[in-house]
Amino acid sequence: MKNFIIGIGGTGAKCLEHLLHCCSSGLGPEDLWVGMVDQDEANGNVSRTKILLNKYINLRTSLRDEAKHDLTNNSNLFKTNIRTNNDSVWLPLKGADPTLKEVVHYDLLKPEVKGLMDCLYDPTEKLQNLSEGFRARPNIGAAAMLATTANENDPFWSQIYKAIDAARGGEEVRVFIISSIFGGTGASGFPNIARRIKTIQQEKNVTTNFHLGGALMLPYFNYEVPEENMEGELFAKPEEFLDQTKGALEYYSKLFEHNKIFDQVYITGWDPLSKLSNFKMGGNLQNNPPLFPEIYAALGALKFFSSENKISENQEIFHIGKNDSDEILWSDIPNVSNSLNSKENIAKLIRFAFSYNWMYGPALVGSWSKIKKYSNENWFKRLIYKYTYNSETKNCEVGHEHNQEVILAMKEYCEDILIWITDMHYSTILNTDQKMNLVVSEFFSEFKAKNVSNRVTIKEKLNYSEKNQFKDFVSDGKNLKLLNIMSNICYKKIYRDQKGLGVFMDILFRSCEQ
Amino acid sequence: MVKKVLPPLNEQNQVSNIATSGEWKSEDASFLEKLAKGLKMGGEEIVSATDIVSVPDVWARVLIVRNGLLDNNQSIVNEWRGTLALLGLAPYYKHIYDLSSSIVNIQDIKNNPYSGGSPANDGLAHIGKILFDVKPLDTMAQGQDWNAVGVLNFNKSAIAVVNPYTMLAAAKDYTGINNISKLPWYEDGYLIDPCNARDMRNEQFAILSHYIQELINGIQGLTYSNMEVFNAVMARLQEFKTSCDAKSSGASFSSWNPTKVNLNLPAQPVYDKLSTIYIGASDQNAKFDCGLEVRPEFKDQIKGGIFADFRVAQSKGKTLSDVRVWNNYSLNSLRQDENLYKILKSECEEQGYLYLTPETIFTEKLVVLPGGDRKLKEHSRDGEQFAYPINSSMLMFMDPKAISTNCIISPDGDNYKAVLYLNLVSESGGSMSYTLEKIFKAKDVVKNRSVPLGFSIWPDIKTEDWDQYYFFYDGNTQVNILPKNIFSVKDINSKLESQTGSDKIKFLDSMIKSHEVIGEEIPIQQTSAVTELRTLKSSPEAVMCNVATQTGGRSFVDHNQRVDVGLILFPDPQEVKDTNNIWSIGIDFGTTNSCVFYKENKDEPKELGFKNRINLPYEPGNEEEELEEVMQAHKEFVPSRFVSVPFMTILRERSYKETSSENLPFRSNFIYYVDQVLYAIQDLPDDKRPLKFNLKWDEAEQSRIKSQYFISQIVLQAAVEAAAQGIKRENLQFNFSYPEAYSQDLLRSFRRITKRAINIGLNDESYKSEEKTKFETESISSALYFAQGQKIAFANNVVTIDIGGGTSDLSLWQDNKLIWRNSFRLAGKDVLIDYLTNNLPLIKEISGNDELLLATYDDLQKIKSNKSKLANGVELLVNSTTFGKAFSNRFDIVSGKERGKELKNLTELTLSGILYYVSLVTNHLIEQGHFKKGLTKSLRICLGGKASTLYKIVFDDSVEQERLAKMIEKVTDGAFESIALEFTHTPKHEVSYGLLVDKFGATDLNVKEKSHETVLGEDIMSGKNKVGVISDLDPNKPWRIKDVSKLKTFLKYLQSFSKIPVKLTKKLEGDLEGKINAELKNGQAKAIEAQKNQQSVEGDDSMKELQKTSSILEPVFILELKQVIKEIASGKLKLK
């Protein structure tokens, strides 16, 4: 089964961040092509996800190398083979800095078509510079998306269009689109990329094996608009979120009523809306925090890709519930499928990240002379020494560059996970009455809501008592202590084909559950 | 309990609950609609649905409108209604917008949306394909599709998509479209529901309601395609109609005219209905809240005024929108569109309403008139006085009384506040009072201008019949306010009647801004001194005045360089009721003096003096000096005093030359009423505006015209007096006298001029002057006076001699029968005037110590080098009352002195000569058997005429009378043995009186005379025949006298009986003969001419008739006598 996921706009990218972490934990499908669409190439969220995607792919590639470090197919860590294009982000309008007027060649249009365009778009919209996205005007984006996605030769879209061909050949193909309902790029891309894909599907006369899913993020946050220099700018005004959402929902309602574009659509919002402290209109400063509702979109996508997900003939729209209290609990996180327990996998992943980041990672980083002090410990001997020992050189090469790269990459990745979960934890409930009971992170992290970047900093080292709080880190009631991990790591079974650092990584990952 | 992982939802949301947390629940598409409706919005719409930008579709605009109609979303519905109203009300807002449309063929542009070359292939899908690919699939009604849509243009800019969902969907943004903001149903960047617009009128809702109903009717018959949309659109239309009906509040039209607006729309159902628009039949009256009711006098010309003032709303506690200015438009409309007033003004004009604003009602400046006793009568007399700073067009709505009552001006610091209380009416009859105010800042207050004394209207009466008025202005641009527009009801009406349609209002409007000629304007003098005359059909109620702000030195300042300062109101003229009484007017157009009498029905003839009928806007004052000032100010017009009869026959010529050929009164000439002899004599040297004397006798064409000026003004003034007594012009009859001494030409000309002067004077071409004008000889008229006026018995022998300034008119009666009558040009002029002219010191002697006379004497001295002017001056003096009294009192004193004695003797000589001639005539009549000798031996001599006063002084003594009697007895060979002199009681009244005496009634005189023969008095040789009477003269033979034997005989008798020695030298005799023969030659030439003309003219003007009453030759004896008198007067012949 070929799976494709496209995160559109900032929200789409953020949902992909969650999805990538979920895939790291083993919740993803076997195979997944990931792409992003954003006209605002410099968008901080898109960049963050793009980097994470690269990290994922690189780390996974390093750890799924039969010749070096291999987690093997048995491991759920980085289970999903995620692919992407050379450039994972597709810009609808590349190169130039066009306006809608230029995109549609307004000046060359027949007078009556000009008149129609004048009715459909206001003067500001026609002249809006599109290089930084469609700025809360999805109708502009709609035209731009429809104009640009038509190019079948585009490397980005050719993947999907070829997949549609593959579907005709009998292979199951699933495409999933994530975006928010408001804003610019995402809002405009969601239905229009879907409609373009549908049009291609129809044009290619593919009637079976091809399924289109989507996650539409309804309002789940708002922000305070800075007063300075916003005059005349087009942007998504938070006070308008609900009104604009209503308008869009009515549109979708009518659109879906007469036109089955999606097979499954996952709808998520949040109440109360999270309050972002630092709003940026676009560009690289738009680096909004991961928020809990986004994980639903990610898990909705993974559900869609799940082989257990039987796609109905009817268009399905999914929504979900959480516990009625103001607390966000692990139980609120849906499973991807019956066989894929999301909360367990995610909990496992973040315990892995914690223990790797502050326990094992630091031990493994550095030269042999630094590392060798752990050489007599069981876990080291069992999982590292042996699998990094070069029989030819008769040296444990864990301190060698090729191993250190992986160790450091994993450390970096684990930091990302910890920051992700911590940021999400803080930001989702910030300035609201909610409580987030997924993890306890205060003892290792510091949160600065106003910061655009580095909102969350985590401690480089934890003292004993801090490490001792590991048992409370994940609030899933499992009371898993670091000692349990340290114990587990010595006993968990090593699969036969596992190689190199893949052994340690997988064992540690698996050790992070009871 | 499970909480939905969705945005905040309201409590009524229909989103289904979820059983377990963390588990996805599948829904169908309707979930989204429930979710949309379930969203927990703020208390009110933060974002108007029209501002929804979240629809990710190129057709978003249309889809948002569709969804709005489906949801009955207020903002969408409102805008949709507003968009529909663009069509429904298009004919009523042509001044704001023009609708057009074009078709966008989506099917076609899918391939190529470009109008010329296509852009370089950039790999992108073009907009045509995009629009096609994602075009909506369903429609409202069957037969519709999305393959073609329309674009509706407002003033050529796209404003709405004509589409199969919503019919119309307003453009996303139309704020930049030209004129859109002028629409009442446009607010804050959006078309709004007209039913919520503040500036809509109930008729417009009736129009809209009908349009929508027709749309509903048209769509109802179609089959739906998308039932939900179809029903929603129909429901919204129905609601719209209901709203319109509620707003139309009774407005209705009698019929509807469908108007196919020229829209190019896809040939699909619905669109044809959409573009069928209706105009309510235009039998509706204009609607307004702030109208001004037109005065009843003008109801046939205009309908009223429309007053637009933003402050009306506030003063009445209303909004600008509440106050309808004109049909569709309120004050708010005007506020929104600064150019709208032009359209309203034009529409008002079309419908007969004058559009007014505070700026057009008030004048630019206010004039504060200097204080003093001469208060303006019709203006508030408390405190300072002002011209009412209101334009004259306001008099169409407020009469002068209303203006004086309702316009109040009061000082306000350095400024002045003008308040005008207006009664504003609506077309439905409602009314409200409104106080209009204007603050005149110090810079707008004119304080150094006054109303000149020469600012008046004549006459001051008003009757149904009278339609001739004059406004007179005599002022100075630097010190006085100046007249601009005159407001006279009849003339305004007449002006308006001559205009058609909107031109009537345009005229009134132009009256506000500029100088408009009302009636006729006669610019007598246009320098820094301004004299103007304006003729009008009714008495002006007011005059709009202006001031010359920039001094033009001595040059005239035109109206466009003046600034309006306001109205000067005139008192109402006295209203007189017309009667059916008849007036006969007798006019004696004399050489020196003229006299007018009138007779009402059968009453006694009465003097017709001309009353002071000047209507002044100010109090003239009571002091003699003040009145004199006013009189002087009207010197160039009609006197502001009573003019008694007789008055001198003097015309003053103006420097202004009339352009018409009608010689109308007051234009280039006017009667110079001598008020003070001194002033008159001072006026003599003015050659630019000369005084014209001797009008009666000057045979030059120009002089005859002068006569016409003179007579027409007398007619006019007499007619005014008649009108003041309720006499209609048609009931006037005119009687003119003339002297037999008139030549036939002069007489014919006089008759014609007179008749024409009557029509001119009465300003009535329909007046039958031919029928209603009678002529009588002065001699008969004079005789009739004596018979009737002085009850002289004509049973015996009576001779009447009316000695005027220029002629002496004689008649001889016996036994109540007129035996003979004639006249000749020997009168006061020849004796007294000539003598005094040549003997000025005598005037000084007569003047005694009278300062005025002495001053006059000094003035005469100044002009003595010009004999003609000196003679006129002496004539003025002699005819003055002061001189008359002095002469009468002092003549006895001076008559003993050299010059006085000579004048006395000259006077005696003259009358003796005349009676000598009468005796010769009597002899001739006895000889002819016309006069019976011996019936009685007494002769009564009735002496009349102005000059008779001189004779009365001389012959008052019975000694002088006795001498005369003896001479007559001698000459008539005893036919008369005694004479009795009867002097007139009222010198110069006789003829005009006599003209009105019923010849066959009271006097019982037989005026069919036996002879009007001119007895020559001195025989003429006609060829070889000796001829004694004119009728025996043969024009074809030479006429000459051989000697002056009769004259010499007379002079001999004169010396014998009166002891007045006149010694003719041989030279003088020779000169006399030569002069008489020259006269005879002229007479003969005239006779030949008359003979020729006799055959060609019939009727009254025929030669035969003329010859009865006119003369081609004066009696030779009289010519001789006159020559002798002239010699004596000039000092060439001494009475020694």
Side-chain angles (χ1 to χ4, degrees), chain B residues 1095-1115:
Chain B
Q1095 295 106 20
S1096 59
V1097 184
E1098 294 299 326
D1100 281 353
D1101 286 345
S1102 74
M1103 191 55 63
K1104 204 172 175 181
E1105 285 300 313
L1106 287 171
Q1107 273 181 344
K1108 286 183 188 171
T1109 53
S1110 67
S1111 171
I1112 54 169
L1113 185 65
E1114 286 199 293

Side-chain angles (χ1 to χ4, degrees), chain B residues 645-661:
Chain B
V645 289
F647 47 86
M648 290 189 73
T649 308
I650 308 172
L651 202 64
R652 181 151 210 184
E653 193 174 294
R654 300 188 195 272
S655 49
Y656 166 77
K657 301 296 172 212
E658 194 184 356
T659 49
S660 84
S661 58

Side-chain angles (χ1 to χ4, degrees), chain B residues 811-980:
Chain B
S811 65
L812 185 60
W813 301 78
Q814 189 174 52
D815 194 17
N816 289 325
K817 292 189 185 88
L818 176 63
I819 306 300
W820 173 89
R821 46 112 184 107
N822 212 328
S823 74
F824 42 77
R825 296 183 60 186
L826 170 59
K829 216 175 176 49
D830 304 288
V831 184
L832 186 60
I833 306 299
D834 266 12
Y835 188 84
L836 289 176
T837 304
N838 289 297
N839 297 278
L840 280 183
L842 182 58
I843 293 176
K844 196 175 180 184
E845 287 170 31
I846 293 168
S847 300
N849 296 322
D850 189 294
E851 284 181 16
L852 176 66
L853 292 175
L854 288 173
T856 310
Y857 170 77
D858 290 342
D859 283 334
L860 287 172
Q861 286 285 352
K862 289 174 196 163
I863 55 169
K864 68 180 181 188
S865 60
N866 186 328
K867 281 287 175 197
S868 162
K869 283 188 179 168
L870 179 62
N872 290 339
V874 171
E875 191 165 312
L876 281 166
L877 177 65
V878 167
N879 282 282
S880 70
T881 321
T882 321
F883 185 83
K885 281 181 187 163
F887 189 83
S888 170
N889 296 338
R890 290 181 57 79
F891 190 69
D892 284 343
I893 300 165
V894 299
S895 63
K897 296 175 184 173
E898 189 184 348
R899 286 194 184 85
K901 189 178 176 190
E902 191 173 53
L903 178 60
K904 184 173 180 291
N905 287 342
L906 181 64
T907 307
E908 199 168 336
L909 177 147
T910 306
L911 186 61
S912 301
I914 291 169
L915 289 171
Y916 178 82
Y917 174 72
V918 171
S919 303
L920 294 177
V921 172
T922 312
N923 291 344
H924 168 76
L925 294 171
I926 292 168
E927 197 176 299
Q928 293 293 311
H930 295 316
F931 193 85
K932 292 170 190 164
K933 191 176 178 181
L935 200 64
T936 168
K937 298 263 180 181
S938 69
L939 175 65
R940 185 177 288 246
I941 302 168
C942 297
L943 276 174
K946 193 75 196 262
S948 67
T949 48
L950 178 64
Y951 296 102
K952 191 177 178 188
I953 294 164
V954 173
F955 289 95
D956 215 18
D957 194 336
S958 58
V959 177
E960 275 81 6
Q961 290 192 26
E962 195 60 33
R963 288 174 191 166
L964 275 179
K966 282 181 179 165
M967 186 191 76
I968 292 169
E969 186 181 358
K970 175 76 179 169
V971 179
T972 57
D973 195 19
F976 305 116
E977 290 176 355
S978 66
I979 62 163

Side-chain angles (χ1 to χ4, degrees), chain B residues 200-493:
Chain B
M200 301 292 294
R201 307 290 133 208
N202 45 8
E203 318 82 65
Q204 293 176 330
F205 291 112
I207 297 274
L208 264 182
S209 170
H210 184 264
Y211 171 69
I212 295 159
Q213 184 60 59
E214 289 298 312
L215 204 51
I216 291 169
N217 294 345
I219 298 172
Q220 238 161 12
L222 302 174
T223 308
Y224 68 81
S225 171
N226 180 326
M227 187 174 71
E228 191 186 8
V229 175
F230 186 91
N231 289 342
V233 169
M234 289 300 280
R236 299 299 88 83
L237 282 174
Q238 197 61 57
E239 290 155 6
F240 190 15
K241 185 190 177 309
T242 305
S243 299
C244 289
D245 288 342
K247 285 279 193 175
S248 64
S249 66
S252 64
F253 289 86
S254 58
S255 63
W256 304 91
N257 301 320
T259 309
K260 198 86 178 171
V261 180
N262 190 22
L263 294 179
N264 185 23
L265 293 173
Q268 293 180 20
V270 180
Y271 301 149
D272 53 339
K273 280 92 186 167
L274 201 62
S275 59
T276 304
I277 291 158
Y278 296 83
I279 298 174
S282 58
D283 54 354
Q284 296 276 307
N285 291 329
K287 304 277 194 298
F288 48 84
D289 289 341
C290 301
L292 291 167
E293 197 168 6
V294 67
R295 286 169 59 186
E297 295 93 317
F298 304 110
K299 274 216 152 58
D300 293 340
Q301 300 303 331
I302 70 163
K303 290 185 183 161
I306 297 299
F307 176 62
D309 181 3
F310 294 119
R311 284 170 291 188
V312 169
Q314 194 186 4
S315 76
K316 296 293 156 197
K318 294 180 176 181
T319 66
L320 292 178
S321 301
D322 290 337
V323 181
R324 183 206 297 251
V325 177
W326 177 255
N327 287 343
N328 297 342
Y329 306 101
S330 69
L331 289 171
N332 192 47
S333 318
L334 284 170
R335 172 58 51 81
Q336 287 175 333
D337 182 357
E338 60 181 17
N339 289 317
L340 179 63
Y341 78 93
K342 293 178 191 163
I343 291 146
L344 297 198
K345 197 172 162 186
S346 168
E347 283 188 13
C348 288
E349 276 173 6
E350 289 296 323
Q351 293 207 33
Y353 291 87
L354 179 64
Y355 184 83
L356 292 159
T357 62
E359 292 71 30
T360 55
I361 285 180
F362 283 120
T363 52
E364 192 181 333
K365 306 252 181 209
L366 171 79
V367 63
V368 181
L369 299 166
D373 295 334
R374 288 196 172 103
K375 291 274 186 191
L376 291 168
K377 296 174 187 169
E378 299 301 312
H379 294 230
S380 168
R381 299 187 187 208
D382 300 333
E384 293 172 301
Q385 283 204 306
F386 314 86
Y388 288 111
I390 293 165
N391 81 61
S392 47
S393 289
M394 275 306 285
L395 284 156
M396 297 296 291
F397 313 104
M398 298 175 86
D399 63 22
K401 287 274 178 287
I403 284 182
S404 65
T405 309
N406 293 298
C407 183
I408 292 163
I409 300 138
S410 52
D412 185 11
D414 289 342
N415 304 333
Y416 284 87
K417 185 164 87 172
V419 169
L420 181 65
Y421 298 106
L422 293 173
N423 184 42
L424 302 176
V425 295
S426 70
E427 85 291 338
S428 57
S431 71
M432 60 176 164
S433 55
Y434 173 62
T435 307
L436 175 63
E437 285 183 11
K438 175 171 177 171
I439 300 293
F440 287 91
K441 295 191 174 163
K443 69 181 176 58
D444 293 324
V445 176
V446 177
K447 286 194 167 174
N448 52 357
R449 298 290 194 279
S450 63
V451 179
L453 295 178
F455 193 104
S456 59
I457 295 162
W458 181 86
D460 63 348
I461 52 152
K462 180 165 78 175
T463 76
E464 276 296 305
D465 183 59
W466 190 253
D467 66 352
Q468 209 180 158
Y469 294 87
Y470 294 84
F471 167 75
F472 175 72
Y473 177 88
D474 189 34
N476 187 292
T477 55
Q478 293 173 22
V479 295
N480 296 130
I481 58 172
L482 296 149
K484 181 187 168 194
N485 292 336
I486 308 289
F487 196 92
S488 122
V489 171
K490 275 191 187 170
D491 293 275
I492 295 287
N493 263 330

